[in-house]
Amino acid sequence: DAGPRPVRFVEPEYTDEARKRGIRATVLVEVLVDARGRVKELRLTDRFLLKGDDRREAVAAIGYGIEEAALSAANRWMFRPARQGGRAVESWTTLTFSFGL
C-alpha cells in the first residue's frame, strides 16, 4: 500500500581525509525498515566516484571512511513503516548519500 517514509534524516560525516583529497562520491545503502520504523539491516549496494565533468564511475570501494560514514548515518534514520493491508510491515528502501557536493 505504501513504502517506508523517512521521519528522521541523518547526514553522513564528510571525513577530513576525504575532504583533504577532494573526494566526491555517491553511496547507495539499502535498509530494511522494521514494522516500528527502525533500521533492522543495512547493506551497501553501489558506490560511485564523481568526476569533474559530471560523470560518475562505479567503483568497488571508495575508502577514506566514506562507506563507514554512509552506513553509520543510514543506521540512525527513522521511518514511518511501510503499510500493507493497513498494517505496518517490514520493507526495504534505498538511501542515497552524497559526499563533497
Side-chain angles (χ1 to χ4, degrees):
D1 299 13
R5 292 193 313 249
V7 295
R8 182 176 75 187
F9 302 82
V10 177
E11 290 294 324
E13 177 189 352
Y14 185 42
T15 64
D16 288 340
E17 189 174 358
R19 183 177 288 108
K20 287 176 189 172
R21 298 188 186 280
I23 301 299
R24 295 176 48 230
T26 301
V27 177
L28 277 63
V29 179
E30 281 187 339
V31 295
L32 177 61
V33 178
D34 69 16
R36 295 181 322 186
R38 296 194 170 119
V39 174
K40 184 175 178 181
E41 292 179 37
L42 58 146
R43 60 182 174 226
L44 285 168
T45 59
D46 293 295
R47 302 160 185 88
F48 300 97
L49 284 175
L50 305 176
K51 302 298 183 175
D53 57 359
D54 292 332
R55 285 185 306 118
R56 65 182 198 169
E57 175 186 340
V59 294
I62 296 171
Y64 311 105
I66 294 291
E67 287 97 332
E68 294 83 357
L71 289 171
S72 176
N75 199 42
R76 292 180 283 151
W77 279 45
M78 294 288 294
F79 295 84
R80 184 168 295 126
R83 301 198 70 78
Q84 186 173 23
R87 292 183 32 243
V89 295
E90 286 187 348
S91 179
W92 287 94
T93 192
T94 301
L95 306 178
T96 302
F97 296 104
S98 297
F99 296 86
L101 301 179

